[in-house]
Amino acid sequence: MSSPTQLIITRQRRAILEELDKLTSHPTADEVFRMVRTRLPHISLGTVYRNLEILSDAGLIRRLRTAGEPMRFDANVANHSHIRCLGCGRVDDAEVEPAECFRVSPDAAPGYEITGFVIELMGYCAECRMGSAKD
C-alpha cells in the first residue's frame, strides 16, 4: 500500500479527486467515470476503477460499502456517518455523534480488538419522497 506522500498524482487521479471533492453525495465508480470522462474523453472505465482503488488504498478517498448496493466513494476521509436513500440509493453525509448513540461493551466481541464501527442511517431523500407523493 502506498502512502499519500509517495503516490504520484497523475492527470487521471487529479481529475478523479477534483470531481469527488465537488460533491456532497457519494458516487459509484460508474458515476465517477461519467464525470471524469467529460474532462478526459479518452479515459477508460478500467482506469477509473483502478485509480479509485489506488486513491482509496493511499487514504486520499474513502470507499463506502453499503449492504446490497454498489461501492461508493467519498473525498471526505474524516470519520463520519452516512444516510442512504432506500428509494434511489443516493448516499449523503449525516451529522451523527457516534459516541452518543452507540456504546460498545469491552465484552461485546471476545477475542477482538475493536478499532471502529460504521453507522449508516436509512430513509428517503426529498426527491424520492416528492415522487411517492405524486403517485
Side-chain angles (χ1 to χ4, degrees):
M1 179 177 357
S2 299
S3 71
T5 58
Q6 296 173 337
L7 184 66
I8 296 170
I9 302 298
T10 63
R11 187 178 51 168
Q12 294 90 346
R13 291 176 190 157
R14 182 172 315 285
I16 290 168
L17 288 168
E18 288 172 356
E19 291 300 321
L20 282 174
D21 201 41
K22 292 178 188 176
L23 303 172
T24 57
S25 65
H26 303 74
T28 64
D30 289 343
E31 291 167 336
V32 172
F33 169 66
R34 286 193 296 276
M35 290 182 292
V36 171
R37 195 157 189 197
T38 62
R39 294 173 61 175
L40 303 172
H42 299 294
I43 195 167
S44 71
L45 181 58
T47 297
V48 170
Y49 269 93
R50 189 169 44 260
N51 281 292
L52 286 168
E53 289 298 313
I54 290 167
L55 292 167
S56 176
D57 289 345
L60 296 175
I61 63 172
R62 187 173 175 190
R63 276 182 229 136
L64 304 177
R65 294 176 176 90
T66 56
E69 297 290 324
M71 192 173 318
R72 293 179 172 273
F73 297 88
D74 190 352
N76 180 356
V77 295
N79 199 14
H80 63 283
S81 299
H82 297 97
I83 185 163
R84 178 172 50 94
C85 179
L86 296 170
C88 65
R90 178 185 172 100
V91 177
D92 286 297
D93 291 341
E95 298 297 325
V96 174
E97 292 294 330
E100 293 179 15
C101 65
F102 189 75
R103 301 220 187 272
V104 178
S105 161
D107 301 323
Y112 281 84
E113 175 188 354
I114 298 171
T115 60
F117 56 89
V118 174
I119 294 176
E120 180 189 37
L121 304 172
M122 294 171 280
Y124 292 93
C125 70
E127 288 182 29
C128 287
R129 285 193 328 269
M130 292 299 290
S132 65
K134 294 177 185 176
D135 295 340

